């Protein structure tokens, strides 16, 4: 690239980004912001429903409930911004892993806490959709940057 063309484009030339990369960055931001929304809610009619200091129908976000999943999801949210090896493949793997971790910590392995009446909050579903967005973004990036493979023996 010539120096004269590089000076006018700035540090980041967004015209070179594919739609999959924009989807991935948006999904990463939404996943990170979902950690601040209420992931789990307590039952307002049950005085024994307590989680992370919340009771009486209050909700708690991922930072108050989890000890390591919140950090792992933050790292997953940064994947579209920093990962460039085999465009799309690593982002897809991160998206799949985030989906499985979210589903395990709320549906498959049960809800956190030792009390009753714990429900899923809006942040849980937003985080799950954002993780699916990471998966879709990785797929889109792979479709744009994919290398056509030749069968063995073809030059």
């Amino acid at each position: 690239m010539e120096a004269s063309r590089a000076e006018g484009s700035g540090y980041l030339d967004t015209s070179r980004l594919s739609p999959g990369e924009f989807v991935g960055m948006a999904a990463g931001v939404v996943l990170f912001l979902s950690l601040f929304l209420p992931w789990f809610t307590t039952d307002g009619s049950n005085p024994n429903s307590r989680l992370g200091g919340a009771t009486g129908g209050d909700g708690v976000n991922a930072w108050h409930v989890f000890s390591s999943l919140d950090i792992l999801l933050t790292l997953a949210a940064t994947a579209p911004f920093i990962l460039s090896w085999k465009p799309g493949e690593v982002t897809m793997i991160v998206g799949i892993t985030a989906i499985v971790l979210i589903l395990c910590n709320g549906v498959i392995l049960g809800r956190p806490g030792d009390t009753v009446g714990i429900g899923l909050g809006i942040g849980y579903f937003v985080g799950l959709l954002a993780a699916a967005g990471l998966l879709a973004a990785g797929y889109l990036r792979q479709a744009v940057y994919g290398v056509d493979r030749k069968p063995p023996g073809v030059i």
Side-chain angles (χ1 to χ4, degrees):
M1 178 179 266
E2 293 178 338
S4 61
R5 285 182 28 210
E7 289 176 10
S9 65
Y11 180 72
L12 179 65
D13 186 11
T14 56
S15 66
R16 297 181 64 192
L17 296 176
S18 69
E21 291 165 331
F22 283 117
V23 169
M25 288 187 276
V29 169
V30 170
L31 179 60
F32 180 71
L33 293 177
S34 76
L35 298 175
F36 295 97
L37 295 173
W39 274 53
F40 299 100
T41 59
T42 58
D43 187 6
S45 62
N46 188 346
N48 296 319
S49 179
R50 294 188 180 114
L51 180 63
T55 186
D58 294 332
V60 290
N61 62 27
W63 298 105
H64 290 122
V65 176
F66 302 119
S67 60
S68 59
L69 180 65
D70 50 357
I71 296 167
L72 292 173
L73 291 178
T74 301
L75 292 173
T78 63
F81 296 98
I82 61 174
L83 296 177
S84 62
W85 179 75
K86 291 279 190 184
E89 289 182 5
V90 178
T91 306
M92 278 194 321
I93 292 169
V94 167
I96 292 169
T97 304
I99 289 171
V100 169
L101 287 173
I102 292 171
L103 285 175
C104 283
N105 287 288
V107 176
I108 297 171
L109 299 176
R111 295 179 175 71
D114 297 331
T115 62
V116 295
I118 304 298
L120 298 175
I122 187 72
Y124 184 88
F125 298 109
V126 171
L128 191 60
L129 285 175
L134 287 176
L135 171 64
Y139 180 76
L140 289 173
R141 282 189 71 198
Q142 191 176 30
V144 170
Y145 294 116
V147 177
D148 294 333
R149 297 185 181 182
K150 295 180 182 178
V154 175
I155 297 177

